[in-house]
Amino acid sequence: MLKTALAHSAASDFPRGLTVLRDPLLNKGTAFNEKERDALGLRGLLPAHVHSLEEQAARVLENLRHLPDELEKYVALNALHDRNEALFFRVVCDNIDEMQPLIYTPTVGLACQRYGHIFQRPRGIFISTNDRGRISELLGNWPHPAKLIVVTDGERILGLGDLGANGMGIPVGKLSLYSACAGVHPKLCLPVMLDVGTNNAELLTDPYYIGLRRRRLHGPEYDELIDEFITAARGVFPGVVIQFEDFANHSAFRLLRRYRDHICVFNDDIQGTAAVALAGILSALRVTGGRLADQKLLFLGAGEAATGIADLIVSAMEAQGLSEAEARRRNWLVDSRGLVIKDRSDLAEHKLPYAHAHAPIGDFLTAIRTLRPTAIIGVAAVGGTFTPEVLQTMAELNARPIVFALSNPTSKAECSAEEAYRYTGGRALFACGSPYDPVTIAGQTFVPRQGNNSYIFPGVGLGAIASGAQRITDEMFMSAAHALARLVSEADLAQGSLYPALPRIREVSAHIAAGVAHVAYDHGLAAGKAPDDMLKYVKSQMYEPRYSSYA
């Protein structure tokens, strides 16, 4: 049981004095009451007034809102995270609309680019190529019983490319969302950076870069390092869930195939993105009245996100009666060289299932005019590629064109929300990868919502941990997508929102976790008997950021 594993020791077993104040899991700052100050040797180390958690949160918000820009706010929140976990998560949970863009996309992209320059205190485990042969020892230095690891090698950070060890901001941010959005206790969360070097020449000459100053490891030596890490993680933390994050295409697909059928791993860029996109498509079809099996989708991009989304959509189309071949023919990819077709000789393995017989087409707009898709999905991380002409053409072909500009950060977005609505006459069913303010067109106000993976992966991880799942399967992500789509209200759809309001995220995550756990039990991937009320059970396992009493 999660809560049993996290039960606090008696006050007499606690560290005392400054040690307590410097432990972010124990520290309450000025909220330590009079008895606790005496019992824990804090008398004189704190000012006299005892504040409530709510008063502390209000002070944090006041200070945060006076800071000049998002990066300064990121740094301030990171510092709070380092000194007081409960207060940090209380602020984030109670203000998720405001905080998520600061602790994750889009601000985390800039933070990763500047990571060495804003670095204050290490968080998580850094494993470099120099540590081969002793990774178990490094993981053993972690003081907590990790149940969830988010790991990256920093080669493809968002749409920003190779940021090497600076990419540690991504696992840290993802795990913050696990705790805030799904109530996975922060004590169970471990961010890991596999520092195998970087091919980013600018970082290699940056005096503040925190990683190895060498070109990237590759080939058999790289694979051996990954194998050692996976083996060590499972040995040090039995039953741990491992999430691969922001690996480059040439590694991501291969690693997922290598481990997914044997251990509890998943790739959020492939599988989480797929589930959140499928949920958005299902929500859009509630407006258009069409069937998924009748849609034709055109992807701008042919990497992890595009093929992951297409694979899950194909499975959903098969569930509606199409054969696999028929379903694949309804999903088309455009990469940097044009339409992905069978006659091309330059195709990576993951593109081959979507390489259909067709004449060559060199550009995205011509592909739209030729294929006449009902939906376009941008996941290429090339900003501005959904041009006014692209959007207008989609509106000419469809009464309600489905337009998903999912690349992030904002600088990489295919189009803005305002552009999507303006150039389709307010008819677009739009989802975005970065946050946008409401847009008013011809007197109607639209509220665009992010097709953000934070709707999916926290609930998937929580469900896997709560059920003790041995593996994470595509059926679990299908369940997550349908659960997310069901939670979109008619009021959401009426204002153009294809996802639930973000303040409902813990409710969403609980429903997704319950669905994932059901799949685990139904497929024999969880030990023991399933709880009678899965949703109630999952909710009972969720961390709530409140102060404990120590005296």
Side-chain angles (χ1 to χ4, degrees):
M1 298 288 287
L2 302 184
K3 288 193 171 181
T4 302
L6 298 169
H8 288 293
S9 303
S12 60
D13 298 329
F14 265 50
R16 292 172 54 82
L18 288 176
T19 303
V20 177
L21 298 179
R22 289 170 178 167
D23 186 330
L25 283 168
L26 300 179
N27 183 30
K28 295 161 60 171
T30 57
F32 282 109
N33 63 34
E34 300 293 342
K35 289 183 178 180
E36 290 170 331
R37 294 179 187 210
D38 284 333
L40 299 176
L42 299 175
R43 186 70 65 184
L45 299 179
L46 295 166
H49 184 72
V50 176
H51 289 90
S52 68
L53 176 59
E54 291 71 25
E55 289 171 329
Q56 289 179 314
R59 179 169 56 201
V60 168
L61 286 170
E62 180 187 15
N63 290 327
L64 197 67
R65 288 165 179 166
H66 279 91
L67 293 176
D69 58 51
E70 282 69 20
L71 187 59
E72 291 287 341
K73 295 176 182 179
Y74 175 92
V75 171
L77 285 167
N78 205 41
L80 175 62
H81 195 183
D82 284 340
R83 69 177 182 268
N84 187 328
E85 295 250 7
L87 179 55
F88 170 79
F89 284 112
R90 186 76 270 155
V91 169
V92 173
C93 287
D94 291 347
N95 305 274
I96 190 69
D97 266 332
E98 182 179 357
M99 296 299 129
Q100 180 166 301
L102 298 176
I103 65 172
Y104 201 60
T105 56
T107 308
V108 73
L110 176 60
C112 286
Q113 290 175 307
R114 301 283 298 165
Y115 207 74
H117 295 253
I118 63 174
F119 186 81
Q120 294 177 323
R121 181 177 176 180
R123 176 173 288 272
I125 293 287
F126 292 82
I127 298 169
S128 80
T129 58
N130 297 336
D131 299 313
R132 283 175 287 181
R134 52 185 298 189
I135 294 178
S136 287
E137 177 187 341
L138 269 65
L139 292 176
N141 289 334
W142 188 248
H144 306 301
K147 293 292 184 183
L148 176 65
I149 289 174
V150 176
V151 59
T152 188
D153 71 353
E155 190 170 6
R156 191 205 63 87
I157 297 299
L158 303 174
L160 301 170
D162 185 351
L163 297 185
N166 283 3
M168 183 55 135
I170 296 296
V172 170
K174 286 276 186 178
L175 287 166
S176 294
L177 293 181
Y178 268 109
S179 297
C181 299
V184 177
H185 199 291
K187 193 174 183 178
L188 301 179
C189 298
L190 174 56
V192 173
M193 163 53 63
L194 297 177
D195 183 359
V196 297
T198 179
N199 294 337
N200 185 320
E202 184 177 346
L203 291 180
L204 290 173
T205 59
D206 182 349
Y208 301 109
Y209 178 56
I210 63 171
L212 286 178
R213 309 298 177 94
R214 56 152 291 168
R215 303 278 294 176
R216 277 190 172 274
L217 188 72
H218 59 84
E221 289 182 301
Y222 176 89
D223 290 348
E224 289 167 10
L225 181 76
I226 299 292
D227 271 341
E228 184 184 349
F229 163 70
I230 294 291
T231 301
R234 297 180 70 212
V236 176
F237 308 113
V240 69
V241 178
I242 299 174
Q243 174 180 323
F244 291 121
E245 188 66 33
D246 284 3
F247 285 75
N249 288 340
H250 60 86
S251 297
F253 291 101
R254 184 169 51 83
L255 294 178
L256 183 60
R257 285 195 301 269
R258 183 169 186 165
Y259 298 111
R260 64 180 300 174
D261 293 333
H262 310 291
I263 61 176
C264 201
V265 301
F266 72 98
N267 185 303
D268 186 51
D269 304 301
I270 298 172
Q271 296 162 290
T273 301
V276 78
L278 174 58
I281 295 291
L282 295 174
S283 296
L285 294 179
R286 287 170 56 187
V287 177
T288 67
R291 288 193 330 136
L292 180 64
D294 297 327
Q295 307 308 303
K296 183 181 288 186
L297 297 95
L298 179 62
F299 294 82
L300 182 58
E304 298 169 52
T307 54
I309 296 169
D311 285 347
L312 197 62
I313 286 175
V314 165
S315 295
M317 286 180 167
E318 288 183 80
Q320 293 188 354
L322 295 187
S323 68
E324 182 179 356
E326 290 170 331
R328 289 196 187 281
R329 283 283 299 180
R330 292 190 166 275
N331 291 267
W332 296 74
L333 311 179
V334 172
D335 64 13
S336 60
R337 298 189 180 184
L339 189 66
V340 172
I341 57 173
K342 187 169 291 187
D343 289 344
R344 281 177 47 180
S345 59
D346 61 339
L347 297 177
E349 183 180 355
H350 64 273
K351 300 180 187 181
L352 294 177
Y354 300 99
H356 307 309
H358 199 281
I361 297 177
D363 66 280
F364 190 61
L365 180 59
T366 303
I368 292 174
R369 288 173 171 161
T370 304
L371 297 173
R372 303 175 69 85
T374 56
I376 54 173
I377 300 178
V379 282
V382 181
T385 41
F386 286 1
T387 63
E389 197 169 9
V390 162
L391 296 167
Q392 289 164 352
T393 301
M394 282 297 294
E396 291 168 6
L397 295 173
N398 301 280
R400 299 302 303 271
I402 298 171
V403 177
F404 284 11
L406 298 182
S407 294
N408 55 48
T410 310
S411 62
K412 303 295 183 180
E414 288 77 13
C415 67
S416 68
E418 194 275 338
E419 290 166 338
Y421 294 122
R422 179 173 302 280
Y423 293 114
T424 62
R427 292 188 282 120
L429 294 163
F430 178 73
C432 42
S434 293
Y436 288 103
D437 292 332
V439 175
T440 300
I441 300 288
Q444 182 175 359
T445 298
F446 300 92
V447 181
R449 291 198 177 128
Q450 284 181 266
N452 194 302
N453 292 15
S454 62
Y455 281 114
I456 294 290
F457 70 80
V460 170
L462 175 62
I465 294 171
S467 64
Q470 299 166 18
R471 291 190 292 112
I472 296 178
T473 65
D474 285 342
E475 289 85 357
M476 293 175 181
F477 284 99
M478 185 72 74
S479 172
H482 282 282
L484 177 56
R486 283 195 302 270
L487 290 166
V488 179
S489 69
E490 293 300 324
D492 290 328
L493 296 176
Q495 64 182 13
S497 301
L498 302 182
Y499 297 98
L502 200 52
R504 295 178 61 199
I505 189 62
R506 286 173 74 92
E507 173 196 358
V508 169
S509 294
H511 280 271
I512 287 174
V516 166
H518 271 301
V519 173
Y521 282 105
D522 291 347
H523 287 75
L525 296 173
K529 181 178 179 294
D532 293 332
D533 187 333
M534 190 70 75
L535 182 60
K536 181 179 180 181
Y537 170 72
V538 163
K539 288 181 177 180
S540 75
Q541 304 303 296
M542 294 175 72
Y543 158 76
E544 182 67 30
R546 295 285 180 193
Y547 287 143
S548 298
S549 176
Y550 300 137

